[in-house]
């Protein structure tokens, strides 16, 4: 029996979200039906709405869902009704990178995230018999319910506030994982974080947990820099109207930083993040630029052992990593609620506007039940 659900549907490129009643199919043997409690909103959802990924319309987005298991397929062994879960990013399990245990670099990841269907082309949601493209990141969590494969799902402790946990599925593990999984800093290593939105702030909190010092935040918005300071940045640089950011960083730490985290997707900022490094330092690129965007560096900078690399989804194995982040939250070391703004699902268009304007760092949608 299909489940009647309420979801935010986009029916045309750059259209508004409309709250509609849909039908959600039954979970397959290896799938789980989740009642979504809350879902974070990420820039990727808005890029999807605006047609960047060619996901067909009508579509339901959302890929930072947290909720409670309602039903499981007959082959599901790790989850049971009543479990609290976060739905993470999908991977195929079979490509060369998945076989090397690198699921975040799954070579089929893009189609599984953006294709709008399950891997076999089937859709999960319908309206009056017509398909709604609905497997965004294999979840489509801007809805009261979602179906996900048990492979991507993460069980979380029940004493953690569930409505804060969804963003760990994407922006949280992207930023924190880039630091804790990819950089692996030692206490006392210097780090600069370029762009302190949801991803940059997650990286910054992880850097503090790892004992980095100094932790330098660079951004255009004074309020974000103030928040970064209160979450652990030792220094804050307002980039507005400046061309000497690298010199400013070298005033704080003369040799440069061991690590830099680039989240802005601006070529000029990416170049600064590389130029701020010590020899043999590492710059991790997280900012997602449009296709065709190019950047240039001076070759000698890379010759001296500096590493520039991209990281997806914090190179996380979500079922191990997300529970650790939840522990940090419960211990007060990762107060993610300080970057969140909550909206009822019905106000999703306002959430999108405030996210694009930069007045909401991490919008979180609460589902009606
Ligand atoms: Zn794969
Ligand atoms: Zn995301």
């Amino acid at each position: 029996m299909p489940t009647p659900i309420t979801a935010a549907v986009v029916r045309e490129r750059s259209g508004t979200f409309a709250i509609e009643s849909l039908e959600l199919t039954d979970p397959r043997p290896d799938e789980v039906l989740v009642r979504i409690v809350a879902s974070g909103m990420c820039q990727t959802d808005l890029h999807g709405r605006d047609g960047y990924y060619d996901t067909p319309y009508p579509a339901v987005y959302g890929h930072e869902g947290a909720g409670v298991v309602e039903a499981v397929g007959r082959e599901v062994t790790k989850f049971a009704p009543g479990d609290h879960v976060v739905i993470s990013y999908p991977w195929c399990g079979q490509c060369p990178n998945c076989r090397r245990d690198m699921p975040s670099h799954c070579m089929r990841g893009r189609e599984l995230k953006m294709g709008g269907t399950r891997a076999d082309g089937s859709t999960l949601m319908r309206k009056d018999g017509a398909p709604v493209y609905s497997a965004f990141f294999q979840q489509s969590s801007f809805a009261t319910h979602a179906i996900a494969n048990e492979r991507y799902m993460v069980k979380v402790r029940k004493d953690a506030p569930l409505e804060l946990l969804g963003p760990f599925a994407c922006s949280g593990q992207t930023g924190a994982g880039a630091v804790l999984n990819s950089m692996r800093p030692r206490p006392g290593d210097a780090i600069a974080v370029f762009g302190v939105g949801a991803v940059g702030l997650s990286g910054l909190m992880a850097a503090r947990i790892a004992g980095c010092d100094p932790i330098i935040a660079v951004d255009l918005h004074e309020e974000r820099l103030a928040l970064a300071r209160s979450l652990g940045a030792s220094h804050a640089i307002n980039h507005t109207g400046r061309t000497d950011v690298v010199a400013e960083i070298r005033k704080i730490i003369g040799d440069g930083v061991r690590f830099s985290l680039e989240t802005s997707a601006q070529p000029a900022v990416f170049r600064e993040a590389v130029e701020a490094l010590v020899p043999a330092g590492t710059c991790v690129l997280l900012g997602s630029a449009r296709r065709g965007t190019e950047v240039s560096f001076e070759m000698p900078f890379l010759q001296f052992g500096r590493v520039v690399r991209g990281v997806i989804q914090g190179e996380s194995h979500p079922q191990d990593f997300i529970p650790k982040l939840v522990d940090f939250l419960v211990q007060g070391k990762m107060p993610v609620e300080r970057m969140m703004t909550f909206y009822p699902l019905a106000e999703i268009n306002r959430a999108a506007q405030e996210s694009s304007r930069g007045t909401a760092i991490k919008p979180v949608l609460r589902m009606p039940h």
Side-chain angles (χ1 to χ4, degrees):
M1 282 291 289
T3 307
I5 66 167
T6 302
V9 183
V10 176
R11 294 204 162 264
E12 58 186 11
R13 186 181 187 121
S14 302
T16 52
F17 294 94
I19 306 302
E20 298 189 12
S21 299
L22 307 178
E23 281 189 344
L24 180 65
T25 187
D26 288 328
R28 287 180 174 175
D30 58 351
E31 291 178 338
V32 176
L33 172 67
V34 180
R35 176 171 59 83
I36 301 292
V37 169
S39 176
M41 174 183 276
C42 203
Q43 210 53 46
T44 307
D45 298 306
L46 303 182
H47 287 170
R49 175 197 65 182
D50 295 340
Y52 288 16
Y53 312 123
D54 302 319
T55 309
Y57 301 96
V60 175
Y61 304 99
H63 61 286
E64 292 185 339
V68 180
V69 172
E70 282 212 337
V72 300
R74 64 178 183 275
E75 291 168 13
V76 169
T77 55
K78 291 184 189 156
F79 299 91
D83 283 347
H84 288 196
V85 293
V86 169
I87 311 174
S88 189
Y89 66 86
W91 64 92
C92 79
Q94 286 150 19
C95 73
N97 281 349
C98 283
R99 287 202 307 269
R100 287 177 85 105
D101 200 23
M102 299 160 69
S104 64
H105 295 296
C106 173
M107 292 150 82
R108 293 193 60 205
R110 192 177 192 281
E111 64 185 88
L112 289 170
K113 291 171 183 171
M114 317 300 186
T117 68
R118 290 190 184 101
D120 68 0
S122 59
T123 53
L124 294 98
M125 296 179 188
R126 302 184 83 74
K127 168 95 173 178
D128 301 331
V132 174
Y133 293 90
S134 48
F136 196 67
F137 277 67
Q138 300 297 312
Q139 58 175 291
S140 290
S141 56
F142 292 165
T144 51
H145 297 77
I147 284 177
N149 191 289
E150 69 167 334
R151 186 162 61 220
Y152 327 129
M153 299 200 10
V154 180
K155 199 184 295 188
V156 291
R157 51 195 276 184
K158 285 191 175 171
D159 63 344
L162 198 43
E163 66 177 19
L164 303 183
L165 306 187
F168 284 138
C170 185
S171 55
Q173 72 177 352
T174 292
V179 173
L180 298 175
N181 298 328
S182 307
M183 295 175 179
R184 298 177 175 268
R186 298 180 189 171
D189 281 343
I191 185 170
V193 179
F194 290 78
V196 283
V199 169
L201 287 171
S202 300
L204 189 146
M205 289 189 280
R208 186 190 202 187
I209 289 167
C212 290
D213 184 35
I215 299 173
I216 304 165
V218 183
D219 201 283
L220 296 168
H221 301 285
E222 208 50 57
E223 8 22 292
R224 290 190 183 207
L225 289 168
L227 180 59
R229 270 189 180 279
S230 75
L231 291 174
S234 57
H235 300 77
I237 300 174
N238 191 324
H239 201 298
T240 309
R242 307 185 77 126
T243 52
D244 61 344
V245 168
V246 174
E248 204 59 31
I249 289 172
R250 287 182 187 275
K251 269 191 223 164
I252 298 164
I253 176 129
D255 294 328
V257 291
R258 176 65 53 192
F259 296 104
S260 59
L261 193 64
E262 200 311 289
T263 73
S264 76
Q266 302 295 320
V269 176
F270 189 13
R271 182 174 169 130
E272 289 167 353
V274 174
E275 291 183 347
L277 292 173
V278 291
T282 297
C283 171
V284 168
L285 169 70
L286 301 179
S288 101
R290 298 293 297 270
R291 278 192 183 157
T293 308
E294 296 189 357
V295 66
S296 62
F297 310 113
E298 280 189 40
M299 286 174 68
F301 261 95
L302 297 192
Q303 197 182 354
F304 285 93
R306 293 181 178 88
V307 176
V308 177
R309 55 167 310 207
V311 166
I312 294 279
Q313 298 288 352
E315 297 187 323
S316 146
H317 293 78
Q319 291 177 346
D320 298 327
F321 190 57
I322 288 179
K324 285 184 193 157
L325 298 179
V326 174
D327 287 345
F328 289 142
L329 166 67
V330 171
Q331 293 158 10
K333 296 177 184 168
M334 199 164 265
V336 291
E337 71 280 4
R338 299 198 42 210
M339 65 169 102
M340 292 176 178
T341 309
F342 290 90
Y343 305 82
L345 180 65
E347 291 180 29
I348 183 171
N349 289 299
R350 185 165 68 86
Q353 279 161 12
E354 294 182 0
S355 171
S356 298
R357 245 189 261 134
T359 49
I361 295 177
K362 172 53 70 177
V364 177
L365 302 166
R366 290 184 173 121
M367 301 305 152
H369 285 292

